[in-house]
Amino acid sequence: MTDTTTAGESFADLFQQQAREMKEGEVVQGIVTFMDEDHVQVDVGFKSEGLVDSWEFMDDDAHMLVKVGDRVDVLIEEIEDDSGRIVLSKEKADRLKIWDDISKAYEADQAVEGVILSRVKGGLAVDIGVKAFLPGSQVDLRPVRNLESVIGERLAFKIIKFNKRRGNIVLSRRALLEKEREKLRETTLETLQEGQIVDGVIKNITDYGAFIDLGGIDGLLHVTDMSWGRVNHPSELFKVGDEIKVKVLRFDPESERVSLGLKHIQPDPWRDAAMRYTVGRRISGKVVSLTDYGAFVELEPGIEGLVHVSEMSWTKRVKHPSKLVSIGDVVEGVVLDVDEHNRKISLGMKQIEPNPWSVIEDKYPIGTRVRGTVRNITNFGIFVGLEEGVDGLVHVSDISWTEQIKHPSEKFQKGDEVEAVVLKIDRENEKFSLGIKQLTPNPWDGIKRKYAVGTEISGEITSVTEFGAFVRLEEGIEGLIYSAELSADKVEKPGDVVSAGQTVTALVTKVDPVDQKISLSIRALTDKEERATLKRLAAEQAASQTMTLGDLLKEKLGKKSEE
């Protein structure tokens, strides 16, 4: 540091006083009397002048900072060297002065400025005139992950530890920031109120929102209050350090909790949404979310519509939306319903194409023979695929005229190709009924003629039950001999009279094509009167063909009583 000599000042007395008081290691004032490229000569009032290396008076660009006649501060290194000259140092004098200034700042709790030089173990090295240490925890209010990012910056610091003897200085920038933050906090608390729009800086980002520094106090901007549209994570919109305008939604001065909103200072997209998205309008949008029950499609920022899984395809049985669409896909659809109050829009994708069930009756008239592949087998029937999304059901009762099928898997496997007849179409409920047995005539239609009442037949007993025995008449046709008809004698257990595999001869006593039942009787073979009655019954017209042997006997007894 240099000063020009004040006019009229007499330095003689000053120099003489200094000469009497000079000691090694002290800083004194002198006058520049001569200078060349190598040295600057300084008169400090001693018997000889001292020489100082020129570089000590130069700046970083090697420009000389003093001229002859300037007053300068120098440090006395030696009162007299071997040549009888006093040894001086401008650089050491400046250093001592810096330590004195730092000491004063420390005592007065004042901030000092410095430039961050480099990273060292545990923190950073800072030049405040002398080298000082800035711990990593004291760099900022929040931990700084990348300390190298602040190297080269000139900042203000508080001295939190000072030891001149050891040359130890510890700094803190955080202490100053906390003090500034406290002042800001007091001001913010005085002015903050609900409904106010304020400026802030993104301080931290979490999964559920972002914390905004409003000036000494933090407010939470929840993810649901960031945008009218869908936000999967706050980092999609912001990063730490971003400046932002937000609205104060709620403020509790006692707990100092502040809830903020961003979307509230933006127009609500649902206003007049029903006018923009009228029912029947064709739209396109991006799939932004999938659930088990459907896909959400973004129509514009803040407005999404739901395509229910049942509205995705006319023909495909969609078990999960991911089978047809993926997040990010752009799809087309039709507006089915708009509930502006509850912010819901229902969309349909299948409505883009004609409903194949609307023309199904024209394509497959009842009675048409069709071919298809067995797609599914259930306990009540098989589903036969006729085309994409159009399956017909062959009920178990429509598989065979004569076979007693307990489960369709006895006859079919998935992938089997089958032929069937269209029986019924329910377009409204999208149901298609098919029949396989209808491909051939119903054998029971001619049973009455083939097995007329009174006809004597022979067949093999297929099974014996508690109530009688079943006799095979032909493939798929069986007759039943009830226990009372097995013998003229009383039968307690059918198994005592007949057994499976045995061939028996019996008379047909009743034929019911509707219920597909034929009643037989062995007892009637030995009863001449019953046999004659059966023969007469067989000869009667269709009106009496449904009468049983019992009916005829009752009629006969009635006539006898009249006589």
Side-chain angles (χ1 to χ4, degrees), residues 90-153:
K90 169 69 167 58
E91 188 267 339
K92 290 182 179 180
D94 289 345
R95 190 181 305 169
L96 278 177
K97 187 175 185 303
I98 290 172
W99 276 98
D100 288 340
D101 290 343
I102 293 172
S103 178
K104 290 177 183 178
Y106 175 67
E107 294 295 335
D109 196 24
Q110 294 177 343
V112 295
E113 283 194 356
V115 176
I116 298 177
L117 299 176
S118 61
R119 180 168 184 173
V120 296
K121 183 178 180 181
L124 296 164
V126 182
D127 180 7
I128 59 171
V130 294
K131 189 172 288 188
F133 175 64
L134 175 64
S137 61
Q138 300 297 317
V139 176
D140 207 332
L141 292 171
R142 293 176 292 106
V144 178
R145 294 181 181 179
N146 182 17
L147 292 177
E148 285 82 357
S149 63
V150 295
I151 291 175
E153 291 190 21

Side-chain angles (χ1 to χ4, degrees), residues 339-404:
D339 184 350
E340 193 173 294
H341 178 71
N342 292 308
R343 298 173 178 261
K344 294 181 179 179
I345 294 181
S346 298
L347 304 174
M349 288 170 54
K350 68 183 183 183
Q351 287 77 7
I352 296 295
E353 303 292 338
N355 184 357
W357 284 91
S358 62
V359 296
I360 203 79
E361 291 176 334
D362 297 331
K363 195 171 183 179
Y364 301 102
I366 293 175
T368 304
R369 288 196 173 205
V370 294
R371 297 189 69 85
T373 302
V374 177
R375 288 182 176 168
N376 194 23
I377 299 176
T378 68
N379 57 355
F380 56 83
I382 61 173
F383 286 93
V384 179
L386 303 181
E387 60 182 70
E388 182 64 34
V390 177
D391 293 350
L393 171 64
V394 180
H395 194 271
V396 66
S397 62
D398 288 315
I399 292 177
S400 174
W401 291 113
T402 58
E403 294 180 72
Q404 299 296 321

Side-chain angles (χ1 to χ4, degrees), residues 225-256:
D225 293 317
M226 290 181 176
S227 171
W228 292 111
R230 180 183 295 269
V231 180
N232 295 316
H233 195 277
S235 59
E236 296 176 358
L237 300 179
F238 312 110
K239 62 180 182 296
V240 174
D242 284 351
E243 297 181 356
I244 185 175
K245 281 187 179 292
V246 287
K247 185 175 183 178
V248 179
L249 303 181
R250 290 175 296 279
F251 172 46
D252 184 352
E254 293 185 4
S255 64
E256 298 183 7

Side-chain angles (χ1 to χ4, degrees), residues 288-306:
V288 292
S289 179
L290 297 178
T291 67
D292 292 339
Y293 53 84
F296 286 92
V297 178
E298 185 182 56
L299 306 181
E300 64 178 82
I303 293 189
E304 296 176 6
L306 171 65

Side-chain angles (χ1 to χ4, degrees), residues 315-338:
T315 58
K316 295 179 181 178
R317 290 179 173 83
V318 184
K319 294 182 179 179
H320 194 276
S322 59
K323 300 295 182 182
L324 287 183
V325 296
S326 301
I327 293 178
D329 288 353
V330 175
V331 298
E332 290 190 339
V334 172
V335 177
L336 303 180
D337 184 54
V338 179

